[in-house]
Amino acid sequence: MYGKEVVIKADNLSHTYIVNCKDIYAVGDYLKVRIKAMDMQNNIFDLSSKDFIENPYTNIRKYIIENGEYTGKVIAFPKQNSGIIVQLDNSNVTSLIRVPARFNEYPHYLDRVLIKITEIRQEKKLIYGYLMRII
């Protein structure tokens, strides 16, 4: 930006969870961003590109309902939360899924799973549920 190399936080790139930014963007790619804050003396920039992308959580209840069962694939294992992150098949959103203790086998990366949605927090862009089975 203006001849300077800047870093954009992953949560400012997309409304949904990004596993690895390198899968989507490469160094030197051009990206339309909104400048939210700028400190030229300390070279601190707060940039966001998700302002130009449609928010999939706006009409999420058209595609996903609470107590509904959905399929998806395991894409991440968050450190700060217990459970797994599942990319749902019928939309481009992700959900944080609990793995009940009754499971002898923990799902692996890219495993297909069946989940049940227990809570949708549309304003916080969070979807919670639990694992029903590994497909």
Side-chain angles (χ1 to χ4, degrees), residues 48-105:
S48 176
S49 68
K50 70 181 180 182
D51 296 342
F52 302 104
I53 302 170
E54 182 182 349
N55 184 352
Y57 291 92
T58 304
N59 297 319
I60 194 65
R61 293 184 190 272
K62 286 183 180 179
Y63 309 104
I64 300 170
I65 58 170
E66 291 173 347
N67 295 318
E69 295 178 4
Y70 303 93
T71 58
K73 66 180 175 181
V74 177
I75 61 167
F77 302 90
K79 292 179 184 176
Q80 69 273 20
N81 298 318
S82 61
I84 57 176
I85 294 183
V86 174
Q87 174 76 46
L88 300 178
D89 288 339
N90 68 338
S91 66
N92 64 346
V93 297
T94 56
S95 58
L96 180 61
I97 302 300
R98 259 183 320 108
V99 179
R102 64 182 163 88
F103 278 89
N104 296 334
E105 184 179 323

Side-chain angles (χ1 to χ4, degrees), residues 2 4 10-12 18 22 34 36 39-40 60-61 81 88 98 101 108-110 112 116-117 123:
Y2 301 115
K4 295 188 179 206
D11 56 337
N12 286 338
I18 297 176
K22 291 178 182 178
R34 174 166 286 141
K36 294 180 145 192
D39 182 1
M40 294 294 279
I60 194 65
R61 293 184 190 272
N81 298 318
L88 300 178
R98 259 183 320 108
H108 296 94
Y109 179 67
L110 296 181
R112 306 245 331 117
K116 185 167 189 169
I117 301 299
E123 67 285 346

